Amino acid sequence: IQGTAQSCSVSVPAGTVFRWTNNSGDGLWNNANNWRDNSNNPGVPTAGSTVFLSCLGSSDVTLNINTSVGRVIADPTYLAVLHLGAHTLTITQELKIPSASQLDAGTGLVQFNGTVVCNTPAELYNLEILGNGTITPVQNVLVGQNLTLTGVNIIGNCSNGNILVKGNLVSNDATGWAGGSCGNWAYVVLNGSGDQTVSGTGKWANMEVNKPS
């Protein structure tokens, strides 16, 4: 009987990369045997590194620790799901997940710390922006619950996305945010179906209310 071979061909990002393989079979983020680094050695993703999800390990990954990485990139060939559970995932450079079905935000917190590019149609649960950097929303950033602005310099940066929030807004950023070199300011948009509150000691630069009638 002759079978049909299945191949996986992807372009691995540059830099320090940890490729998801799930070689142990338990699906857990903090198991070193589930990842391979640039030298094909096992290891858990480190601060500043790139997490790469693809057909090289097309099975679910469950975040079971609070952690910080540089980038989380899912290739279109990744046919499984990243589950955030109730943990905190801090990203310092880029979040790129092309399909909403590739991310299960659970009840977790995503932190954008510093200058971060966000490009995903997937809805986050809670989002905090800190680090006084530049946030580039390539498309709308969807927040299912609460947005907290702790420190941000620019939201927009020649991109077209806004931040759409279904829950509450908290701003403790004293200066608000600018629109970047193109002057294309992003809006924080309240679009939840229920009551939403705005609180904190900070300044709002651009806010819009667009709730369903």
Side-chain angles (χ1 to χ4, degrees):
I1 300 174
Q2 184 174 359
T4 301
Q6 295 184 1
S7 63
C8 173
S9 177
V10 293
S11 178
V12 178
T16 302
V17 179
F18 288 83
R19 296 170 283 112
W20 175 251
T21 64
N22 194 30
N23 283 349
S24 80
D26 66 8
L28 297 180
W29 181 294
N30 74 336
N31 187 335
N33 290 320
N34 289 333
W35 304 91
R36 288 295 182 269
D37 65 12
N38 299 76
S39 301
N40 209 37
N41 295 318
V44 177
T46 55
S49 67
T50 295
V51 167
F52 185 56
L53 310 174
S54 72
C55 56
L56 298 171
S58 204
S59 55
D60 287 9
V61 50
T62 297
L63 183 67
N64 60 333
I65 56 172
N66 298 330
T67 193
S68 175
V69 296
R71 299 188 293 169
V72 174
I73 297 178
D75 191 79
T77 63
Y78 182 63
L79 302 180
V81 183
L82 168 59
H83 301 277
L84 301 186
H87 291 279
T88 298
L89 175 62
T90 302
I91 296 171
T92 59
Q93 297 176 44
E94 183 179 12
L95 175 63
K96 185 178 182 181
I97 298 179
S99 173
S101 64
Q102 293 173 314
L103 177 66
D104 168 21
T107 58
L109 170 66
V110 173
Q111 293 180 323
F112 291 162
N113 189 356
T115 294
V116 176
V117 176
C118 182
N119 186 7
T120 181
E123 184 177 88
L124 310 178
Y125 187 78
N126 289 320
L127 173 64
E128 181 182 8
I129 298 175
L130 63 162
N132 294 311
T134 296
I135 305 301
T136 302
V138 177
Q139 57 184 297
N140 286 334
V141 179
L142 308 180
V143 182
Q145 291 295 314
N146 303 325
L147 169 66
T148 301
L149 295 180
T150 300
V152 62
N153 183 25
I154 292 171
I155 305 179
N157 200 35
C158 306
S159 62
N160 295 318
N162 295 310
I163 303 178
L164 278 54
V165 182
K166 293 180 180 177
N168 301 323
L169 309 178
V170 179
S171 177
N172 293 314
D173 179 30
T175 59
W177 63 88
S181 58
C182 296
N184 187 16
W185 290 31
Y187 281 79
V188 171
V189 182
L190 286 76
N191 70 336
S193 59
D195 292 347
Q196 294 178 262
T197 64
V198 177
S199 62
T201 59
K203 176 182 177 181
W204 292 99
N206 280 347
M207 185 172 68
E208 175 183 337
V209 178
N210 188 20
K211 298 173 68 63
S213 56

